[in-house]
Amino acid sequence: MLQDSNLQLMAMINDLEALISEIDNNPRLSSWVVRLVLKSIKDKAKKAAIETTNAEAYLDDLLDAFPN
């Protein structure tokens, strides 16, 4: 699970780096393209947050099932 979170985080960082590079290389980049990429990154971040929350809840349930 932690591996998946790290991969998702790295994918978002790569997307941001690619966007920054594209803006640097092409200052006339359409604001529509920038918005589209940022929305995609935002959606990935939301998905990762939900998955992390679900995983934490699952682990809490498992721990509750096996009392000390």
Side-chain angles (χ1 to χ4, degrees):
M1 280 184 261
L2 186 56
Q3 180 76 13
D4 291 341
S5 296
N6 287 340
L7 291 175
Q8 289 174 335
L9 182 58
M10 289 305 299
M12 288 182 275
I13 290 170
N14 288 340
D15 289 350
L16 285 169
E17 288 176 342
L19 177 61
I20 290 167
S21 177
E22 190 61 34
I23 291 170
D24 287 343
N25 293 330
N26 183 4
R28 294 183 193 172
L29 188 66
S30 164
S31 62
W32 179 83
V33 172
V34 173
R35 184 185 181 290
L36 188 66
V37 172
L38 289 174
K39 184 179 179 326
S40 171
I41 295 167
K42 176 184 159 189
D43 292 345
K44 287 179 187 178
K46 273 185 178 179
K47 181 181 176 195
I50 290 168
E51 288 175 359
T52 300
T53 302
N54 290 343
E56 289 173 357
Y58 175 74
L59 290 175
D60 287 343
D61 289 346
L62 274 179
L63 292 174
D64 290 342
F66 298 100
N68 294 338

